[in-house]
Amino acid sequence: MHEKVLVLDFGSQYTQLIARRLRELRVYCEIRPCTLPDPEIRAFSPRAIVLSGGPASAFEAESPKLPGAVLALGVPVLGICYGEQLLAAALGGRVEPGRVREYGPAEIELLRESPLFDGILRVGERARVWMSHGDRVTALPPGFAAVARSPASPFAAIADEERKLYGVQFHPEVAHTPIGKELLANFCFRIARLRGDWTMAAFRAEAVAAIRARVGSGRVLLGLSGGVDSAVAALLLHEAIGERLVCVFVDTGLLRLGEAREVVELFRGHFNVPLVAVDASSRFFAALRGITDPEEKRKTIGRVFVEVFEEEAARLGPIDFLAQGTLYPDVIESVSFRGPSATIKSHHNVGGLPERMRLTLVEPLRELFKDEVRELGRELGLSEAFVGRHPFPGPGLAVRVLGEVTPERVALLQKADAIFLEEIRRAGLYDRIWQAFAVLLPVRSVGVMGDRRTYEETCALRAVTSEDGMTADVFPFAVDFLARVANRIVNEVRGINRVVYDVTSKPPGTIEWE
């Protein structure tokens, strides 16, 4: 029932960001591949269409083309980067390789007034934007006018105001374009005349009704991990079907310090959600014995989790549905223009489980991005401290214990990690950091503590900031803060005698950080 915007994906690395920015404006949108047939585009009934960027060249014969329905529908269209070039090429303009490529920050100058820039720039004013292109529009189609230019792009923004067709050579969806969100808002509200009726309160009511209609009188099983996604799914399902939801929480022994107890107390004690808690830590540690390869750890944890989960499910009596906390990025990846993801999640949220258990799948969060799930969690009564927690890897601390995973090494990491996060909260920095955690390295070093020599483990600390979870920069802690944390860890965690801080801007591939 919501006003919908269709985002056609032409292969850009930023396509998901377009949808996220529109959702932040309370505009409901969905991403579909640019190969979507015309009948399906019409059936979607979009109020506006956004064409993403992409790596192809619009003048090449094999490049993705503009579906005919995009223009035939007569709705406002915004082409971004390749989307602008495609729009120009389809309507009689010309696109050619640029003499100078534009990658990174650039500056545009507004040449004429346009609703796209209302309240943002006046004619002659300039703004910083983010470019990522080698080709450029060199001749405009009939009916179009140049709205903005950059040093390397004479048509950095173009418009056919009568048909409400717009193109920008830059990327308004990325954080590096400060005017981007305002530009997208102008497209949605000034040009497409949308209301912005996508709210979590509305989604909550609609989702509850949809769950009841789908489940009927059946029973639903959910694997509760303690993470935000499964927690929000559990509360939404519980509101919809009450006691016919059964949650199974498997304690792998690889969670943060005290987290297993907190999960049980919160969901069984506070929210009265039916919950079966299983301590299978010894089973996981036995299976992980001698394994050092990170991917093998993941697969082992996934296998053992399925075994434990199925055993517990068999004790619960008849179950009709299996619920999973699938999010919209997972859905997008499965239908991406670039093809289904070649990377299959190998932690405990494993694919194929519904088929193995012969259950019908229920995915109540599949329309939501992560930030929307957090907002829904607040709507359902989860505390800010819970919904605002830093992301945690599915395999738990197994991928943050480099080398062999043992109960002793995990216990060391749990204590060090808890001290690090405690000091971050005490300093008022937790919400400024996207993710912070400790890692136990496969390195032992000699040290002297007191009057005796020690030969103990080395702990690494990592903290990053991120606007969107797609890129990350190291958080610049003050030296005295790091000294205080290191001092506490060395003094309070017997078995660690050295602490280092990881200052790389991209995380090591062996450490889970997503």
Side-chain angles (χ1 to χ4, degrees):
M1 300 300 293
H2 295 283
E3 299 173 321
K4 296 184 293 186
V5 171
L6 175 63
V7 179
L8 287 179
D9 175 24
F10 288 88
S12 170
Q13 60 181 318
Y14 301 133
T15 301
Q16 285 195 29
L17 287 182
I18 299 172
R20 288 187 63 175
R21 298 297 172 253
L22 295 177
R23 296 277 188 93
E24 288 169 3
L25 295 169
R26 306 296 187 189
V27 172
Y28 183 76
C29 64
E30 291 185 17
I31 295 173
R32 300 292 175 84
C34 61
T35 53
L36 192 68
D38 283 351
E40 293 187 35
I41 293 176
R42 295 190 187 95
F44 187 81
S45 300
R47 290 286 302 275
I49 297 173
V50 178
L51 313 175
S52 85
S57 292
F59 48 79
E60 293 178 349
E62 65 275 15
S63 63
K65 304 305 179 187
L66 188 69
V70 169
L71 298 175
L73 284 173
V75 300
V77 177
L78 173 64
I80 296 174
C81 195
Y82 179 76
E84 180 198 69
Q85 298 166 11
L86 193 62
L87 198 60
L91 291 169
R94 186 167 64 248
V95 179
E96 297 176 328
R99 291 190 300 272
V100 178
R101 297 184 299 176
E102 282 186 306
Y103 291 102
E107 192 174 70
I108 62 168
E109 177 190 356
L110 193 68
L111 301 175
R112 61 188 295 152
E113 292 184 357
S114 169
L116 199 61
F117 289 90
D118 276 357
I120 302 173
L121 292 177
R122 295 177 180 175
V123 175
E125 290 183 337
R126 302 172 185 270
R128 298 282 287 180
V129 298
W130 186 262
M131 295 281 194
S132 181
H133 68 99
D135 303 333
R136 64 175 185 168
V137 177
T138 56
L140 292 180
F144 278 81
V147 174
R149 67 184 176 191
S150 73
S153 298
F155 304 117
I158 61 175
D160 181 335
E161 305 287 4
E162 185 175 340
R163 289 186 287 177
K164 296 186 177 180
L165 304 177
Y166 299 85
V168 292
Q169 187 60 73
F170 55 91
H171 288 273
E173 69 272 25
V174 303
H176 300 294
T177 300
I179 65 169
K181 190 169 183 178
E182 294 174 87
L183 186 146
L184 291 173
N186 278 347
F187 176 72
C188 291
F189 304 130
R190 293 178 184 265
I191 295 169
R193 300 294 181 183
L194 303 178
R195 296 189 306 271
D197 60 356
W198 172 248
T199 67
M200 280 304 102
F203 175 83
R204 175 182 180 179
E206 294 162 9
V208 165
I211 291 167
R212 288 171 179 165
R214 178 169 175 76
V215 170
S217 60
R219 296 179 74 208
V220 178
L221 175 65
L222 171 70
L224 186 65
S225 69
V228 174
D229 301 342
S230 66
V232 172
L235 295 184
L236 190 62
L237 286 160
H238 189 242
E239 180 173 316
I241 61 174
E243 299 299 306
R244 288 184 287 116
L245 168 70
V246 180
C247 296
V248 173
F249 169 62
V250 178
D251 181 4
T252 63
L254 303 168
L255 302 176
R256 287 170 284 210
L257 188 66
E259 189 168 29
R261 173 181 48 79
E262 292 170 2
V263 169
V264 174
E265 290 178 354
L266 180 62
F267 290 92
R268 184 187 288 166
H270 180 72
F271 287 110
N272 297 314
V273 173
L275 176 63
V276 175
V278 185
D279 182 357
S281 54
S282 60
R283 190 162 166 179
F284 280 89
F285 283 121
L288 289 167
R289 187 175 297 122
I291 297 175
T292 59
D293 178 71
E295 190 59 24
E296 191 176 353
K297 291 177 185 177
R298 290 172 175 275
K299 292 178 179 177
T300 300
I301 291 168
R303 173 180 57 78
V304 176
F305 179 88
V306 169
E307 292 171 358
V308 175
F309 191 76
E310 287 184 323
E311 290 168 9
E312 293 303 317
R315 300 187 178 100
L316 297 174
I319 296 290
D320 307 288
F321 297 86
L322 177 69
Q324 287 186 344
T326 305
L327 302 190
Y328 193 47
D330 300 317
V331 178
I332 295 169
E333 195 67 30
S334 68
V335 298
S336 170
F337 167 63
R338 290 163 291 183
S341 173
T343 302
I344 299 173
K345 291 183 179 180
S346 53
H347 54 73
H348 63 247
N349 186 21
V350 292
L353 193 55
E355 292 81 2
R356 284 175 57 108
M357 302 179 71
R358 297 182 180 179
L359 298 175
T360 302
L361 187 61
V362 176
E363 298 171 308
L365 307 180
R366 65 180 281 117
E367 296 178 4
L368 304 183
F369 285 103
K370 187 75 171 188
D371 51 341
E372 293 173 318
V373 173
R374 296 184 191 281
E375 188 177 348
L376 179 59
R378 298 181 188 100
E379 178 76 22
L380 291 165
L382 283 170
S383 68
E384 187 62 39
F386 188 94
V387 299
R389 288 193 307 176
H390 294 173
F392 189 67
L397 297 179
V399 290
R400 293 181 183 169
V401 172
L402 305 193
E404 185 176 8
V405 180
T406 66
E408 295 77 20
R409 297 192 77 213
V410 169
L412 291 180
L413 182 58
Q414 285 175 327
K415 294 172 186 176
D417 190 69
I419 290 171
F420 187 30
L421 295 179
E422 180 184 322
E423 289 294 335
I424 286 174
R425 288 191 175 95
R426 184 176 295 169
L429 301 174
Y430 191 84
D431 293 334
R432 292 172 53 191
I433 297 170
W434 187 71
Q435 189 179 45
F437 55 86
V439 178
L440 200 63
L441 303 179
V443 175
R444 295 169 70 91
S445 59
V446 175
V448 176
M449 301 179 68
D451 293 323
R452 69 184 185 88
R453 191 178 301 275
T454 62
Y455 184 59
E456 295 179 342
E457 305 252 24
T458 299
C459 170
L461 305 178
R462 178 164 181 76
V464 294
T465 60
S466 179
E467 181 73 22
D468 47 42
M470 297 179 71
T471 58
D473 292 317
V474 63
F475 186 82
F477 286 118
V479 174
D480 61 341
F481 173 87
L482 292 174
R484 182 166 65 252
V485 173
N487 186 60
R488 280 198 60 190
I489 290 174
V490 170
N491 280 310
E492 298 176 31
V493 184
R494 186 178 296 273
I496 294 178
N497 68 356
R498 188 177 300 274
V499 177
V500 298
Y501 184 55
D502 180 4
V503 296
T504 55
S505 58
K506 288 186 178 181
T510 52
I511 300 175
E512 176 75 15
W513 70 289
E514 298 172 352

